Amino acid sequence: MRLILIGPPAAGKGTQAAKLVEKYGITHLSSGDMLRAAIKAGTDLGVQAAAYMDKGNLVPDDLVVDMMVERVKESDCDDGFLLDGFPRSLPQAEALDSALSEAGVSLDAIVAIKVPDDMIVGRITGRRMDPETGDIYHMDFSPPPAEVASRVVQRQDDTEEACRVRLEKYHAETAPVLPYYESTGLLKEVDGNAAPNVVTEQIFDILS
Ligand code: ADP
């Protein structure tokens, strides 16, 4: 199974991605996680990407495309993959298409998670992560347990200002990818304004 998960920031892509990779036994490729790992490792890519990410801007297409196209060629993607956060612009979608057709493989579905803008800012500014386990919490909707609460951290681009920029970029750059995939007949939309397990059920139903 080769899938793409698309949605605005904090649509729940990470949560749903974890369920999907478990069910289908495929490799999870999150462009955001890969870029954050590059920043942490201090690679050239990380140094270049950090300046864009901190402000909520998209990292330039050529950098992200090279990173992702190389990654999907690795052997752990032979039995399938789930792309989370990529492609995020039309040029990225086109570059992915050519790389996949060169490799002789095709996508099975593009799942778009829909969440209204007014929900997004609250979801993002309340989001926290446990740096020890990577678990994600929300200070109002799913607060961390007492023993974890003192160590949770906020992502650098989860401030209100960066979040508004990310939302603008989503509408300007990423939303145009949806009609592009709609024309292939592979686009499936789900309502992301529901409890996480309800969204998971919707996605499983669609894919079966
Ligand atoms: P979210 O979906 O919550 O915005 P991500 O972890 O997917 O978070 O992405 C965080 C940041 O990483 C983005 O705001 C952007 O700067 C950068 N990024 C991730 N994926 C891409 C991509 N495909 N193209 C350009 N920038 C990207």
Side-chain angles (χ1 to χ4, degrees), residues 61 65 86-97 173 177:
D61 287 334
V65 165
F86 177 86
R88 231 182 179 94
S89 67
L90 264 184
Q92 291 182 19
E94 287 162 357
L96 175 68
D97 263 2
E173 309 276 338
V177 172

Side-chain angles (χ1 to χ4, degrees), residues 7-10 13 30-33 35-36 49 52-54 56-61 64 68 84-88 92 124 127 155 157-158 166:
K13 295 190 295 291
S30 157
S31 51
D33 286 353
L35 290 168
R36 281 185 287 275
Y52 297 95
M53 291 172 72
D54 286 351
N57 289 312
L58 293 188
V59 175
D61 287 334
V64 182
M68 298 305 285
D84 160 7
F86 177 86
R88 231 182 179 94
Q92 291 182 19
I124 291 190
R127 175 158 69 178
R155 237 170 70 176
D157 59 350
D158 274 352
R166 281 155 70 201

Side-chain angles (χ1 to χ4, degrees), residues 10-197:
K13 295 190 295 291
T15 306
Q16 300 307 327
K19 305 276 187 196
L20 284 162
V21 298
E22 193 192 343
K23 178 167 166 114
Y24 293 107
I26 53 180
T27 300
H28 180 193
L29 303 179
S30 157
S31 51
D33 286 353
M34 288 164 68
L35 290 168
R36 281 185 287 275
I39 292 176
K40 213 169 162 191
T43 63
D44 281 353
L45 169 64
V47 171
Q48 293 182 66
Y52 297 95
M53 291 172 72
D54 286 351
K55 295 193 175 64
N57 289 312
L58 293 188
V59 175
D61 287 334
D62 52 343
L63 296 180
V64 182
V65 165
D66 285 352
M67 173 181 84
M68 298 305 285
V69 163
E70 285 312 306
R71 184 64 186 84
V72 293
K73 288 184 195 155
E74 287 179 33
S75 60
D76 61 348
C77 295
D78 287 352
D79 293 332
F81 54 76
L82 178 136
L83 299 175
D84 160 7
F86 177 86
R88 231 182 179 94
S89 67
L90 264 184
Q92 291 182 19
E94 287 162 357
L96 175 68
D97 263 2
S98 355
L100 293 180
S101 47
E102 238 171 68
V105 297
S106 50
L107 295 165
D108 294 294
I110 291 88
V111 177
I113 306 181
K114 302 286 221 183
V115 180
D117 281 6
D118 52 3
M119 305 276 311
I120 305 266
V121 178
R123 279 196 187 189
I124 291 190
T125 50
R127 175 158 69 178
R128 298 291 185 278
M129 188 189 67
D130 177 352
E132 284 184 22
T133 61
D135 290 345
I136 304 289
Y137 297 97
H138 189 285
M139 296 316 284
D140 302 320
F141 312 139
S142 60
E147 65 276 18
V148 173
S150 60
R151 65 169 186 247
V152 293
V153 293
Q154 188 172 28
R155 237 170 70 176
Q156 222 150 17
D157 59 350
D158 274 352
T159 59
E160 186 155 348
E161 204 187 337
C163 152
R164 293 202 182 275
V165 177
R166 281 155 70 201
L167 207 46
E168 269 168 37
K169 298 288 166 194
Y170 175 78
H171 288 295
E173 309 276 338
T174 310
V177 172
L178 299 178
Y180 173 83
Y181 282 126
E182 193 158 29
S183 67
T184 65
L186 296 176
L187 183 70
K188 315 284 176 201
E189 294 189 325
V190 297
D191 176 11
N193 190 11
N197 60 324

